[in-house]
Each structure stands twice: as C-alpha cells, then as structure tokens.
Amino acid sequence: MSDSAPEVDVIVLGTGCAGLITALAAADAGASVAVYEKGAKLGGTTALSSGVAWLPANKYQADHRVSDSIADGRAYLTALSNGMILPEFTEAFLESVNPMLEWAEQRTPLRMRLVPGYPDYHPEFSGGKPGGGRSTEPELFCFDQLGEWKDRFLGFRRPMAVGETPVGGGTGFLTPEEEAERTSQNLEGLGRALLGALLKGLLDRGVEPQLERAAIRLITEQGRVVGVRFADGTQARARRGVVLATGGFERDPELVTAFLRGPVSHLTGAVTNTGDGLKMAMQVGAKLGVMREAWWVPVVAEPGDEDTQYALHGVQLVQRERTLPRTIMVNGDGRRFTNEAANYNALGGAFHEFHPTHFRYENQPCWTVFDQGFVDEYGGFGVPAGGEMPAWVTRADSLAELAGALGLPAEQLAATVQRWNDLSARGHDDDFGRGDSAFDGWCGDRRHYPGPLATLGPIDRGPFYAAPLYSSTLGTKGGPRTTVDCEVLDVEGSVIEGLWAVGNAMAAPTGMVYGGAGGTLGPAMVFGYRCGRAVAGAPA
Ligand SMILES: Cc1cc2nc3c(=O)[nH]c(=O)nc-3n(C[C@H](O)[C@H](O)[C@H](O)COP(=O)(O)OP(=O)(O)OC[C@H]3O[C@@H](n4cnc5c(N)ncnc54)[C@H](O)[C@@H]3O)c2cc1C
C-alpha cells in the first residue's frame, strides 16, 4: 500500500443514515474519521426516505402514555423471528435504543420525536403495539446550518414531518403561513432532516465527506483490513477500521438473481447501491447472512422525474391505493390473493408465492382495481380527490371492458368484485381478514379508523380503473454477518480484524421482520451508534 495514502483511525464508506451516524459516533468518541461516498450527492436511499425510525421502548413514550418495555420488544421480535433473528442482536438493539437517543440529544444536533399512534406492522403479535409508540422521526432541520453542504443531498426539499402526511396520520397539507415560514427558514423534514442533523454534527467535528469516491477493494496486511482502494486508483489507510455502510445490493442484477428469494423489479432508492460492500466483504472471506431477504414493497411504475420522492426513477410506493376502501388487488387469474392492506414488507410473501404446476410466480403480475367512487373520494397516485387518473392507469366503462384491456378472465374478475362487495357490505373480509389488524386501516379512510370500514368498501361505480403493481424493494437485507458491535465475521465465525459493517450492508439484525414504520432506519441508527463507538475503541 502506498506510503503517501492518507491515514485516519476510521474510514466510513457511504453517507446514508448508517454511514453518517457511525462516523459521528466514532468522531465523537475521539477517533479521526474519513467518510467516502460513491455518488455525486450525499445520503443514499436514506435521503429519499421518510426518515422514520422504529425504536421499541424509547424514551419519548412516557410523554405519550405508551406502555412499552424491553420485554415487550423482545417478545414481539421473537414472535416474528421465524428463526432468523439472532437473540443477541435483539438484546443489543433493545438495550441500545435509549443510550443512542440520549447520546444524540446530548452530543449531536439530531432531535427525534414520536409519530403518535403509528401501529406496529404486526400489532396483534405478542408484545406488539396496536396504538403505536415505537415509530419516531427527526424534527424539522434547518438546512442553512449546513453552509455549502446544504445542496449536496440526494432528493429534494420536503418541509413536512411524516406525522403531518397521510401515511403518518396527518392531512398532507400545511397552512400557507406555515409553508411560507418553513420555506423562509429552509426547514426540512423526513430522511433529509435526519441526514442534515447528522452531517451538521460531523461538520462541527471537522469531518467533511468526500463525494464521488467509490471504494472498490479492501487492502489487507497479515489478515487485517488496513485500508481501501478507490475506483480512481487512490488509496486510504485506517488504523482502527474500515466500515462498510454502502447500502444494499438491490441495484446489481447478478447479486439479486443469486440471492433474493423472489422476483423484484422497478427498484426504488439510490442507484449507487450495487452491493460494493458485499463484494468487498466476500473478497476477504466474510460469512454472509439474511441474503434471501429484502425490505419488500409494492410499487407502480409511471413516467416521472427521478428526483421526486413519489416518482423515484419513475416508480411510486403504493400504500394508500391498496388500503383505502373501494380498491382490491387481483392476479392474472382475476382473483384476490391476499390482505391488500397488510404492511408492504409482509406483502412480499404474497408476491413470491410460486405455483408448482403452473411453475410461475402466481401473483406477479397483479393489478390494483378501483372505481370512480375511489377516485372521487380519495384520489390516488399523486392525483387529488376528484382529479383525473394519469394516462398510465387503465380506465374502462365496465368491469368486462377492464378485464378485456388487461387480458384477465372477465367472468372471474366480475365474480371477484361481486364477492368483495358482498364482504364489504357484511363488514368483514372472510377471505383474507383485511381490516382485522389495527395496522390495516392506518393508511385507509381515517374517518373510520380504527375499525374495518377504514379499509372495506365496494367497487360498484364506473368507470373502473386498474394499475399494474410490481414486487419491489426499499433495499436488500443481506450482507456480512457481524458481532453485535458490527465487526465482520469470517466464514469460520472469527472476527476479520479491521472490518465493520452497518445498515443495509450488514446481515440485518431483524432477520425477515419489519417491526413497524422505521423498521430499517431504527436498527441502522442503533447499530451505527454501537459500531461508531466500538470502532473508535469506546464500546457503547
Ligand atoms: C421512498 C422510501 C421511503 C423510505 N422510508 C423509510 C422510513 O421512513 N423508515 C425506514 O426505516 N426506512 C425507510 N426506507 C428504507 C431506508 O431508506 C433504507 O433501508 C435505509 O436508508 C438504508 O440506509 P443505509 O445507510 O444502509 O443505506 P443508504 O442510505 O442507501 O446509503 C448507502 C450509501 O452508500 C453509498 N455507497 C455505495 N457503494 C459505495 C462505495 N463503493 N463506496 C462509497 N460509498 C458507497 C451509496 O451511494 C449510498 O449513498 C425508505 C426507502 C424509500 C425508497
């Protein structure tokens, strides 16, 4: 390795939530830190996200009279584990939630708060919270504090908190005065607020990320990782460790085919997440875990601007449009196949159902089908109530015509809709239990929440509409196995000295579970904090 390569204690690769919080925790613990980012902008998928972090038994709950405990969090994760969560990760996660939040409040500009009422994603499981209390979000952050760095994040300015949006239980509207006030102060919410606050903490400690510096190889000496080589041919050296915070491998088709358990298409998130950290870890003999899993999500594809949140690279996440009354999902046989209002991650299971005789994924492609009543009352796909659906949504005067346009069996589609209308009239979905869970109606018609009518309602007023729905992901979950302090393990289970991994680059601490809103960023924050402390030599 070149003697002239710059040397610090800790190198962090990637500037999403996991990378920045790790870098900040390490710098705050006294380490010298260098942060390298592959993209031309900061923030990765985190910058496009809502910035919600799922943190059981968190310190804000007391003010909202939420009853929670580490024991409840443990019971919940254990009940959902399916053998994929290592118990020591559950303990480390739950025990570090409040130390991480205390540290953030005392030592950094980051301020989190509760999104009141947001139910867990499987709230009826042991230890689950139907009334919410575990989903937190960053307070609005003033980007003017970042000086020349304020325009260097991926995504665009969103001056709202998630609790103010329909997904978080709000209206989605600010008063003109509030809007003007936030604009004049350059306030932002959601994922960029989280990142902005973390970056401010780093800048205050003299750490400036370096953009367009893609790491491609780890450098080892006598089995220890001592540095990295970049795509531009330069190198950097780390005395204490190199942290892989490079996100998932969802943008590498070969890795996706090799590892993921079912089909994904129409990807969301940062295009730079091509599994570089995974490849580097494999090159030095890392043991891998949770490789088949991702943070699954259904999406629609529309022509759109790559830089807007709900048109990520022409793709929109679909939540309200499958949850509100007057809409169902059908497969190529024209049949319903699942509880459409279930959480997006769990729906991956329905999309990955494989028929042994047909030898195909039975529920891909599929469509969300809705009626004029839905359009008039709720709107959807970015269109306000009563607006005109975009051209990429199929519209027909009758269900038979709709079936013809989509190539679905008309009689079956008519029977499916009739059955749905009958069940809606009876007030219970006997077929798939939609509306049974406290989560189901959360993104539905809030006038009827809680209760099944927040999500049940007939499809009976033409014209009728359909939009194709694809199985996608917010990011993959697999990566190198680590200790609870994020040191990467080799195939024999021994620590690879000098190598660490966090966020979507590590084998997910929560296995196949998405505990509640913020289920990816919550663990990323907690384990990033643990990693940063530990790599700096001051374990949490
Ligand atoms: C629209 C949307 C909304 C979401 N909302 C939420 C939410 O509210 N709550 C939640 O928990 N999750 C949410 N998610 C998921 C969440 O955003 C991601 O799981 C999370 O941001 C991953 O964080 P990370 O730091 O591991 O990776 P990222 O934020 O993706 O950061 C990885 C970074 O590493 C960089 N990188 C890659 N390779 C290299 C390399 N070789 N060298 C240097 N740098 C490299 C990338 O360019 C990128 O900047 C959402 C996702 C989307 C798409």
Side-chain angles (χ1 to χ4, degrees), residues 16 52 83 289 341 350:
V52 179

Side-chain angles (χ1 to χ4, degrees), residues 18 37-38 44-46 49-50 52 215 246 272-273 276 504 518 520-521:
E37 166 58 47
K38 175 182 182 179
T45 299
T46 312
S49 80
S50 299
V52 179
T246 45
T272 40
N273 288 350
D276 298 356
N504 286 358
T520 101
L521 290 172

Side-chain angles (χ1 to χ4, degrees), residues 160-174:
M160 267 201 184
V162 86
E164 294 168 332
T165 69
V167 168
T171 62
F173 296 103
L174 298 175

Side-chain angles (χ1 to χ4, degrees), residues 12-21 35-54 118 121 136-138 154 158 162 167 190-191 194-195 210 212-217 229-231 243-248 250 267-277 280 295 297 308-310 312 315-317 344 473-476 502-506 514 516-524:
V12 177
L13 304 175
T15 58
C17 168
L20 291 191
I21 202 163
V35 179
Y36 297 96
E37 166 58 47
K38 175 182 182 179
K41 297 229 168 183
L42 292 167
T45 299
T46 312
L48 307 169
S49 80
S50 299
V52 179
W54 187 74
Y118 213 135
Y121 281 180
T136 65
E137 66 170 326
L154 213 55
R158 292 174 293 165
V162 86
V167 168
L190 312 176
L194 177 65
L195 293 168
Q210 300 187 39
E212 297 183 285
R213 300 293 303 279
I216 52 167
R217 281 277 168 152
R229 187 172 325 136
F230 298 96
V243 182
L244 306 171
T246 45
E250 59 274 7
L267 297 171
T268 69
V271 295
T272 40
N273 288 350
T274 52
D276 298 356
M280 287 187 270
W295 312 100
V297 70
T308 58
Q309 186 206 3
Y310 292 110
L312 293 167
V315 165
Q316 289 183 28
L317 311 189
Y344 42 87
T473 172
L474 303 172
T476 54
V502 287
N504 286 358
M506 76 191 281
Y514 208 120
T520 101
L521 290 172

Side-chain angles (χ1 to χ4, degrees), residues 349-369:
F351 291 135
H352 297 161
E353 212 173 294
F354 194 79
H355 194 291
T357 313
H358 301 161
F359 213 70
R360 64 168 192 225
Y361 291 98
E362 202 62 352
N363 303 321
Q364 281 285 283
C366 76
W367 292 263
T368 168
V369 171

Side-chain angles (χ1 to χ4, degrees), residues 11 40 79 135 150 155 183 201 208 212 222 237 245 295 309 366 483 536:
I11 288 175
S135 294
K150 70 179 176 201
T183 302
E208 293 205 359
E212 297 183 285
Q222 283 120 37
R237 202 175 171 94
W295 312 100
Q309 186 206 3
C366 76
T483 65

Side-chain angles (χ1 to χ4, degrees), residues 143-164:
F143 266 56
D144 286 342
Q145 298 179 65
L146 297 176
E148 62 187 21
W149 286 91
K150 70 179 176 201
D151 299 320
R152 295 191 188 159
F153 282 96
L154 213 55
F156 68 107
R157 182 173 172 269
R158 292 174 293 165
M160 267 201 184
V162 86
E164 294 168 332

